[in-house]
Amino acid sequence: LDIMPKGGGGTSFFAIFDYVKELETKPKAIIILTDGYATFPKEHVREGIPVIWIINNEDITPPWGEVARIKTE
């Protein structure tokens, strides 16, 4: 099958942290793959959990957490 991914906005980082807040067992880390074009929550929402943002561009830099970038050509 040929898969043709398509985006169009609507990213909410808040949903990730709301979900984690409800978990009985907290994850060791949160890894978020994104283009970064969304509103970033305040750092306190991570509740001490390390966060790695994997971003596919050089335009966006999250205000907190570690960042890794995917280089596309």
Side-chain angles (χ1 to χ4, degrees):
L1 294 174
D2 289 332
I3 298 174
M4 302 300 286
K6 182 179 177 184
T11 299
S12 173
F13 300 131
F14 295 89
I16 297 164
F17 297 100
D18 288 345
Y19 173 75
V20 170
K21 185 188 233 181
E22 300 301 320
L23 294 175
E24 197 169 305
T25 302
K26 302 300 182 195
K28 301 248 185 239
I30 299 169
I31 300 171
I32 302 169
L33 179 61
T34 179
D35 63 7
Y37 291 101
T39 302
F40 288 90
K42 301 287 186 197
E43 185 174 7
H44 70 85
V45 300
R46 71 185 185 103
E47 297 185 3
I49 301 168
V51 175
I52 302 170
W53 305 91
I54 301 177
I55 300 182
N56 68 346
N57 62 65
E58 296 289 334
D59 302 326
I60 304 294
T61 299
W64 52 270
E66 298 296 321
V67 178
R69 300 206 186 262
I70 296 172
K71 303 275 185 180
T72 58
E73 298 176 319

